[in-house]
Amino acid sequence: FFFFFIIEIKRNTMFTSHCCFLIFIIFIAATSIRGESPQDDVTTEAPVTANPAAATEQPSVQPFLTRAPVEPTLPFTRRPRCGTSWMDANDHCHGFCQTDDDCFQQNRDYPFCFGDLTNLCQLQYLSRCGRYWEDANQNCHAACSDSNTNCPSGMTCFTYVSDICDARCGSSWDAANNQCANQCRTLDKIDCPRGEQCFRDMTKFCSKALSGATSTALLSYQGMMISLVSILWLALS
């Protein structure tokens, strides 16, 4: 049959042209069907696999996004800090210390401990004395700097306690209770102006805002940065 079909093709050129055209149409139809079949699978499977999952997961995730906890602002302090010089320690917050050994263990690039600083640095955590951690966390016995040297007898220094102490600076308890500018929530008199003590158990309410000394230090720092930016702008223009 195939041999007879070839002979007829040779005899009739018109038949040949019709056959070529028919083969071309069949080829186009086959490729079109082959290309469309995967699309049909996608359109039929998409509603089953994608939409129900998205509809069930969205309500369970959304509440967690709206309940992100807010980290409280810890107090600032003038406690001794590490540095290469007094000016370096006063202008930066390399790390708090009591001795040079503390600085050497923290970072050998800033090996010396300097006190009598004027600028403030924010604490990363609070430490207080207590008989056990819960006692230190719920009470304001005394301040400590990660060691037991400042704690009363029978108490230990505990870290990462809550910021609950309402303590302020003053020349007397009454003076401290009647003002809100200078707070010493660290219970450390080093955070008070010279000649004043840190008193706790205040009866007059004060918000845990920045103290006057802290605000002054931050404003002076902002002013210095603005001046530096202005100088750089003039130099480049």
Side-chain angles (χ1 to χ4, degrees):
F1 178 80
F2 181 75
F3 180 76
F4 178 78
F5 180 73
I6 297 298
I7 293 175
E8 289 297 329
I9 290 176
K10 291 182 178 180
R11 290 180 179 179
N12 195 338
T13 56
M14 182 64 69
F15 180 75
T16 303
S17 62
H18 283 286
C19 288
C20 292
F21 181 76
L22 181 60
I23 294 172
F24 177 76
I25 293 299
I26 294 173
F27 177 78
I28 294 298
T31 55
S32 300
I33 294 172
R34 186 181 302 172
E36 290 175 359
S37 59
Q39 296 178 358
D40 295 338
D41 296 338
V42 174
T43 54
T44 55
E45 292 180 0
V48 177
T49 57
N51 291 339
T56 55
E57 290 178 2
Q58 184 174 359
S60 61
V61 175
Q62 188 64 25
F64 293 98
L65 297 177
T66 58
R67 297 178 183 177
V70 178
E71 196 71 18
T73 302
L74 292 175
F76 288 72
T77 180
R78 290 191 182 88
R79 289 178 179 175
R81 296 194 296 271
C82 302
T84 57
S85 63
W86 182 90
M87 184 174 296
D88 178 46
N90 191 57
D91 293 340
H92 301 89
C93 301
H94 297 307
F96 297 104
C97 58
Q98 290 182 322
T99 63
D100 292 344
D101 291 337
D102 297 335
C103 297
F104 190 79
Q105 293 177 3
Q106 294 180 30
N107 192 335
R108 296 184 179 183
D109 293 335
Y110 311 104
F112 305 112
C113 185
F114 295 92
D116 297 327
L117 305 176
T118 57
N119 294 335
L120 307 175
C121 285
Q122 189 177 21
L123 290 171
Q124 300 300 316
Y125 57 87
L126 284 173
S127 303
R128 284 197 302 273
C129 302
R131 297 174 181 85
Y132 42 86
W133 186 87
E134 289 79 5
D135 180 39
N137 187 55
Q138 298 175 3
N139 297 284
C140 302
H141 297 299
C144 57
S145 300
D146 302 345
S147 65
N148 302 327
T149 55
N150 298 332
C151 292
S153 177
M155 291 189 179
T156 305
C157 185
F158 293 94
T159 58
Y160 295 98
V161 295
S162 302
D163 184 15
I164 62 171
C165 297
D166 186 7
R168 296 193 289 273
C169 304
S171 57
S172 63
W173 186 92
D174 291 331
N177 189 55
N178 291 326
Q179 64 88 26
C180 295
N182 297 318
Q183 302 178 9
C184 52
R185 284 148 46 202
T186 59
L187 301 180
D188 197 338
K189 68 177 182 179
I190 198 172
D191 297 323
C192 294
R194 190 178 298 274
E196 295 185 2
Q197 300 291 326
C198 182
F199 294 91
R200 57 188 178 183
D201 301 328
M202 303 285 99
T203 57
K204 177 183 176 180
F205 173 77
C206 291
S207 62
K208 292 181 180 180
L210 296 178
S211 65
T214 306
S215 301
T216 302
L218 290 180
L219 289 175
S220 61
Y221 177 78
Q222 292 175 355
M224 180 182 66
M225 293 302 296
I226 293 174
S227 300
L228 290 175
V229 171
S230 301
I231 293 173
L232 290 175
W233 177 263
L234 293 175
L236 295 175
S237 61

